[in-house]
Amino acid sequence: MSNLITRSISALVYAIIFISAILFSAETYIGLLAIFATVCIYEFSKIINLKNIIPYVFLIAIVLLSIKQPAFSLTEPLIAISLVGLTGLLYLLISTKPIKYGSFIQKLGLHIIYLILPFYFLIKLPFIDDNYVPNMIIYIIIIIWTNDSFAYLVGKNFGKHKLFESVSPKKTIEGFIGGLAFSILAGILIAKFSNVFSTINWIVIAIIVSILGSLGDLVESKFKRQAKVKDSGTIMPGHGGLLDRLDSLFFLAPFVYLYVHYIM
């Protein structure tokens, strides 16, 4: 019971801080994401055993790039690099092949592909035609929470077939399907009670969020399993590290950004 209370308080504080920053202004949203990214880089560096400041330098550069809006656009090449890199990680997850990071270049590349570029697109995601639309991020977070909650509930009560047992023994195919179904329902309800995007667009976004968010969580689990660690850190009592909480959100960000800004 005490652990449940600790987890609940920790999750509540996290949610209040995150949602307040999103709603207050674009500046507080970007600022909090920069702090979150810094912590996640620190935690990820410990997981893959990299002691170097260069990832933080890249983070500063990418945050400044997202703010300054240079005359020449780097968005297209950056999203191409991000999607190819993240797809490569998904291939290694599905094929059960190990993620190699023996050299400094490999470790730095993983920081850029896995964290820095996704955070860049998470910053850029709610800016539609140069207007900050905070509710969009709130709705995506709601879909993530819906997916995680119902994947757990359905998996716990009906789960029989393991999803990726070698990476995360508790996740089941039934839980994955349950999370996806309720995410789509959440997307439909969001479309009904908001004026941000149409119903079909929210259904597509919900599918992307559910599938890529779940796979992003499994990719982080693969990193931790290779490193033989349970959590990415201890900053959130009862939950582990900040990376453990944000792995779904930043992993799906480039894919949702592509859909919202280029396909819709």
Side-chain angles (χ1 to χ4, degrees):
M1 180 62 73
S2 60
N3 185 55
L4 178 60
I5 293 173
T6 300
R7 285 177 59 87
S8 299
I9 293 174
S10 180
L12 180 61
V13 171
Y14 162 78
I16 290 173
I17 292 173
F18 199 5
I19 293 174
S20 298
I22 293 169
L23 294 176
F24 189 77
S25 70
E27 290 75 18
T28 56
Y29 171 68
I30 294 172
L32 187 64
L33 277 187
I35 294 171
F36 282 175
T38 302
V39 175
C40 287
I41 287 175
Y42 171 77
E43 292 178 347
F44 187 61
S45 294
K46 289 178 64 179
I47 290 174
I48 66 172
N49 193 28
L50 176 65
K51 297 178 180 179
N52 199 289
I53 65 168
I54 292 182
Y56 301 98
V57 175
F58 271 91
L59 175 63
I60 293 171
I62 212 73
V63 170
L64 291 176
L65 180 64
S66 70
I67 297 171
K68 292 295 183 180
Q69 297 289 342
F72 56 93
S73 176
L74 288 174
T75 301
E76 287 78 10
L78 289 180
I79 200 167
I81 294 169
S82 182
L83 294 178
V84 169
L86 294 177
T87 302
L89 289 177
L90 291 178
Y91 166 74
L92 293 175
L93 171 69
I94 295 169
S95 67
T96 69
K97 294 181 179 180
I99 302 173
K100 296 180 180 180
Y101 48 84
S103 69
F104 168 76
I105 295 299
Q106 288 175 321
K107 293 177 180 180
L108 179 60
L110 282 175
H111 273 83
I112 294 171
I113 293 297
Y114 181 60
L115 287 177
I116 296 171
L117 289 182
F119 269 112
Y120 169 77
F121 289 107
L122 189 56
I123 289 173
K124 302 281 286 182
L125 185 56
F127 290 89
I128 309 296
D129 297 326
D130 294 328
N131 294 313
Y132 178 55
V133 185
N135 286 351
M136 182 178 148
I137 291 295
I138 299 293
Y139 296 147
I140 288 174
I141 292 173
I142 289 172
I143 294 174
I144 291 174
W145 288 346
T146 300
N147 180 72
D148 291 348
S149 299
F150 283 96
Y152 171 76
L153 291 173
V154 173
K156 182 178 181 181
N157 291 285
F158 303 102
K160 294 181 180 179
H161 303 88
K162 300 300 182 181
L163 186 59
F164 283 99
E165 189 171 9
S166 62
V167 173
S168 185
K170 294 183 179 181
K171 293 187 184 296
T172 63
I173 295 175
E174 292 82 1
F176 178 82
I177 295 172
L180 175 60
F182 279 95
S183 294
I184 293 172
L185 177 60
I188 294 171
L189 292 174
I190 287 169
K192 182 177 178 61
F193 294 103
S194 76
N195 58 355
V196 182
F197 308 147
S198 66
T199 300
I200 187 63
N201 282 326
W202 273 115
I203 289 174
V204 174
I205 290 171
I207 292 171
I208 295 172
V209 168
S210 176
I211 294 175
L212 272 300
S214 299
L215 292 174
D217 182 65
L218 287 166
V219 168
E220 197 228 356
S221 295
K222 187 178 181 76
F223 277 116
K224 291 190 294 185
R225 185 163 288 268
Q226 284 190 204
K228 296 181 173 59
V229 297
K230 182 178 182 295
D231 298 315
S232 66
T234 58
I235 195 171
M236 294 187 65
H239 291 271
L242 193 58
L243 184 59
D244 295 324
R245 293 294 299 176
L246 289 172
D247 53 359
S248 298
L249 181 59
F250 69 73
F251 195 91
L252 60 85
F255 297 92
V256 176
Y257 181 91
L258 177 68
Y259 179 75
V260 170
H261 291 268
Y262 288 90
I263 298 177
M264 275 178 45

